[in-house]
């Protein structure tokens, strides 16, 4: 959470690049009015990569302070279904 509201998928991939994020897993969430929430779900190639990526917790992306949280596959799937992965 805390992503720049205009952050595209590519910027998120670059932020996590050393931890092998799965490109097609990135799900940017939006409010009911279509505006970005500043939250996204990202899956990694392995649980170990995901744990290592948590080292970026409290880093910055642009001028925004990023907070990372572990989520589960169900939460990720619900977010993908809500957005239809079109963000």
């Amino acid at each position: 959470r805390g992503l720049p509201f205009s952050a595209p998928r590519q910027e998120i991939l670059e932020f996590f690049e050393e931890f092998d994020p799965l490109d097609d897993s990135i799900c940017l969430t939006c409010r009911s009015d279509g505006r970005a929430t500043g939250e996204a779900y990202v899956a990694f190639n392995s649980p170990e990569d995901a744990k290592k990526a948590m080292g970026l917790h409290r880093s910055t992306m642009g001028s925004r302070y990023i907070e990372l949280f572990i989520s589960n596959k169900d939460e990720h799937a619900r977010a993908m279904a809500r957005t239809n992965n079109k963000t």
Side-chain angles (χ1 to χ4, degrees), residues 5 29-38:
F5 296 117
T29 62
C30 294
R31 300 171 194 228
S32 60
D33 64 3
R35 294 185 308 162
T37 64

Side-chain angles (χ1 to χ4, degrees), residues 1-5 37-40 59 61 63-67 69:
R1 119 175 123 186
L3 293 170
F5 296 117
T37 64
E39 296 181 3
S59 295
M61 181 184 286
S63 62
R64 298 289 305 237
Y65 173 83
I66 306 297
E67 295 178 298
F69 301 93

Side-chain angles (χ1 to χ4, degrees), residues 54-74:
M54 290 300 294
L56 294 174
H57 180 57
R58 298 184 178 168
S59 295
T60 57
M61 181 184 286
S63 62
R64 298 289 305 237
Y65 173 83
I66 306 297
E67 295 178 298
L68 302 179
F69 301 93
I70 296 287
S71 64
N72 61 47
K73 289 181 181 182
D74 290 338

Side-chain angles (χ1 to χ4, degrees), residues 1 3 12-22 25-26 40-61 66-71:
R1 119 175 123 186
L3 293 170
I12 295 167
L13 278 174
E14 290 168 6
F15 183 76
F16 288 111
E17 69 185 335
E18 66 186 280
F19 305 106
D20 204 13
L22 300 175
S25 75
I26 296 174
Y41 289 84
V42 181
F44 296 87
N45 198 40
S46 71
E48 293 77 22
D49 288 332
K51 287 177 187 173
K52 289 177 187 174
M54 290 300 294
L56 294 174
H57 180 57
R58 298 184 178 168
S59 295
T60 57
M61 181 184 286
I66 306 297
E67 295 178 298
L68 302 179
F69 301 93
I70 296 287
S71 64

